[in-house]
Amino acid sequence: MGGVWPLTAYANDPKQAEQIIKAVNGPPVVIKLLEGTQGIGVVLAETLKGGASIIEAFRGANIAIMVQEFIKEAGGTDIRALVVGGKVVAAMKRTGAADDFRSNLHRGGSAELIKITPEERSTAVRAANRMGLNVCGVDMLRSNHGPVIMEVNSSPGLEGIEKATGKDIAGLVIEFIEKSARDGKTKTKGRG
């Protein structure tokens, strides 16, 4: 899936902070904790010195982080595509609060129904397949060079996307599990 991820570097050596920022075409850059949720631990560093300082602080505390290029043209919005059983069953556009580049609903963002492009749909399904996930949320940004994946979430929250799309996503997940179980039992009986 080359080309669908933003330029990303893992910041292992705080002494190399400025080189890491330059390697992802920054500043500005997005610095993320490797283990975070709901936008917590995601920081926008707008200057080289500021970014280096953030990287040094995190790495000095032995916190694993990554540094990504900032996709300015996304304008503080992203797309969450929910994939169930190899199909995108719902998609929403999330827009960040007026003063925040993060679009997480838990950070004050809003969500609305969106029709995604065939390329975005294909990108989400390929990401789910690559990660070996039957159910996941794929977060993408619209960049000048097509959709870029920000995250594949194996345990996506459903409340926001159900509200934005009016779909019973939990019901679709349950139907998929039930169908998979039935198909699995049928195959097992046929071999037994």
Side-chain angles (χ1 to χ4, degrees), residues 161-176:
I161 199 160
E162 285 187 332
K163 186 183 269 187
T165 64
K167 291 187 175 183
D168 176 12
I169 307 299
L172 293 172
V173 171
I174 291 168
E175 286 176 25
F176 170 74

Side-chain angles (χ1 to χ4, degrees), residues 8-141:
T8 302
Y10 294 94
N12 294 320
D13 184 355
K15 294 180 187 116
Q16 304 267 316
E18 289 189 11
Q19 292 91 322
I20 292 166
I21 291 168
K22 290 175 184 174
V24 298
N25 293 337
V29 295
V30 177
I31 301 170
K32 296 180 177 182
L33 301 181
L34 288 185
E35 294 183 19
T37 184
Q38 301 174 350
I40 296 168
V42 179
V43 180
L44 177 63
E46 298 190 57
T47 67
L48 187 61
K49 293 292 182 196
S53 179
I54 294 167
I55 291 169
E56 290 165 1
F58 280 137
R59 291 307 299 146
N62 205 27
I63 297 171
I65 60 171
M66 66 179 165
V67 180
Q68 291 184 322
E69 72 177 309
F70 178 61
I71 309 294
K72 183 178 182 178
E73 61 269 24
T77 66
D78 75 0
I79 295 167
R80 160 71 57 95
L82 200 29
V83 179
V84 178
K87 295 179 189 168
V88 174
V89 298
M92 67 178 168
K93 179 171 104 173
R94 301 184 300 184
T95 302
D99 59 346
D100 198 342
F101 77 100
R102 299 168 297 177
S103 56
N104 301 78
L105 300 182
H106 288 89
R107 304 261 70 84
S110 61
E112 63 185 278
L113 178 67
I114 188 173
K115 181 163 175 56
I116 61 174
T117 68
E119 184 181 11
E120 290 164 343
R121 184 173 302 279
S122 171
T123 298
V125 170
R126 285 192 335 261
N129 289 340
R130 177 68 61 92
M131 300 299 292
L133 297 171
N134 288 317
V135 176
C136 64
V138 179
D139 297 343
M140 299 177 281
L141 298 176

